């Protein structure tokens, strides 16, 4: 896989932390940053896809919607029983 170069400005504290992590794992700072960005992108894409799926479910009438007050009442009942 080819790699592109990207310039990112970080504060000195974050750079130190990244260097410490790279040393601890025996990796380069670049590989630590790539792993972190990949995890961030994966999580954001997951959220976007989940929201889109839920929106489709609502639009297609496949979802059961529960009002805020009903959710709160359910939590209050659940915790009152403990």
């Amino acid at each position: 896989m080819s790699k592109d170069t990207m310039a990112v400005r970080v504060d000195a504290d974050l750079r130190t932390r990244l260097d410490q992590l790279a040393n601890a794992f025996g990796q380069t700072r670049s590989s630590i940053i790539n792993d972190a960005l990949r995890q961030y992108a994966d999580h954001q894409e997951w959220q976007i896809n989940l929201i889109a799926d839920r929106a489709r479910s609502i639009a297609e009438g496949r979802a059961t919607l529960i009002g805020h007050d009903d959710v709160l009442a359910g939590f209050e009942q659940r915790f009152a029983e403990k």
Side-chain angles (χ1 to χ4, degrees):
M1 173 174 31
S2 70
K3 302 247 178 167
D4 291 333
T5 300
M6 178 186 287
V8 178
R9 295 183 190 275
V10 297
D11 59 50
D13 179 57
L14 180 55
R15 182 180 176 139
T16 298
R17 292 171 62 197
L18 291 169
D19 287 340
Q20 289 171 344
L21 288 169
N23 289 334
F25 288 110
Q27 298 180 350
T28 64
R29 183 187 322 129
S30 182
S31 67
I32 295 292
I33 292 169
N34 269 287
D35 288 345
L37 291 173
R38 191 171 294 108
Q39 288 178 30
Y40 175 81
D42 288 348
H43 182 75
Q44 295 302 312
E45 287 171 347
W46 170 80
Q47 282 188 321
I48 288 167
N49 291 331
L50 181 64
I51 292 166
D53 181 56
R54 297 304 187 260
R56 275 192 303 277
S57 293
I58 292 168
E60 295 169 1
R62 296 183 289 118
T64 301
L65 300 179
I66 302 170
H68 180 74
D69 291 337
D70 292 334
V71 172
L72 290 179
F75 278 119
E76 288 174 8
Q77 180 180 2
R78 172 184 268 178
F79 290 114
E81 294 170 357
K82 291 192 178 227

